């Protein structure tokens, strides 16, 4: 496996992600920001943050698979959420948990969550991008 996830001593241990990842592989996979679209481009979960987060993570997994990678190969995730406030965290975590259950993984690479004013489409509440490393 090309990715090692760590929580260094001296930094808080966060349940939902690790603080650091190291990569030893030779092939980088950059997944463009994925929104809650199905294969035909229709928005899934209009107005439902948890449903859209779930779909975004499933779409990231689909993109990773095409490149020969899985969430185990992800070194970093960046999430953009429209009008983010901390009270939305339970819905965000619910969506991640539902995607993880469907995928049979625990996606905990280092991550950054960024609140934004808007995304490219007003229907989209969240966008998720990922960087993976594979051998």
């Amino acid at each position: 496996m090309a990715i090692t996830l760590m929580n260094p001593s001296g930094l808080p241990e966060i349940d939902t992600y690790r603080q650091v990842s190291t990569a030893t592989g030779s092939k980088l996979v950059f997944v463009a920001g994925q929104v809650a679209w199905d294969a035909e481009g229709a928005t899934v979960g209009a107005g439902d943050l948890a449903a859209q987060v779930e779909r975004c993570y499933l779409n990231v997994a689909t993109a990773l698979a095409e490149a020969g990678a899985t969430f185990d190969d992800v070194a970093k995730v960046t999430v953009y959420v429209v009008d983010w406030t901390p009270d939305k965290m339970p819905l965000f975590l619910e969506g991640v948990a539902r995607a993880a259950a469907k995928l049979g993984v625990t996606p905990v690479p280092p991550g950054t969550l960024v609140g934004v004013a808007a995304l490219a489409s007003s229907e989209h509440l969240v966008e998720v991008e990922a960087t993976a490393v594979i051998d």
Side-chain angles (χ1 to χ4, degrees):
M1 185 176 306
I3 302 294
T4 302
L5 302 175
M6 298 173 275
N7 274 322
S9 90
L11 294 178
E13 190 167 321
I14 310 295
D15 291 339
T16 56
Y17 66 93
R18 301 301 174 262
Q19 296 279 11
V20 176
S21 68
T22 60
T24 58
S26 58
K27 183 177 181 180
L28 297 175
V29 179
F30 298 94
V31 177
Q34 296 298 303
V35 294
W37 277 333
D38 64 15
E40 288 75 40
T43 298
V44 174
D48 182 342
L49 180 61
Q52 287 200 15
V53 168
E54 176 184 4
R55 185 58 190 219
C56 290
Y57 272 79
L58 294 175
N59 287 350
V60 167
T62 298
L64 289 168
E66 184 67 22
T70 70
F71 265 101
D72 288 337
D73 302 306
V74 173
K76 173 91 168 57
V77 172
T78 304
V79 179
Y80 304 93
V81 182
V82 175
D83 297 326
W84 175 259
T85 55
D87 63 311
K88 293 180 181 177
M89 184 61 84
L91 291 172
F92 173 77
L93 294 175
E94 177 186 334
V96 173
R98 290 186 342 207
K102 284 185 178 176
L103 296 168
V105 299
T106 304
V108 293
T112 300
L113 192 152
V114 181
V116 296
L119 295 170
S121 169
S122 62
E123 293 182 317
H124 297 143
L125 305 175
V126 62
E127 186 168 330
V128 179
E129 66 182 26
T131 302
V133 181
I134 55 179
D135 291 318

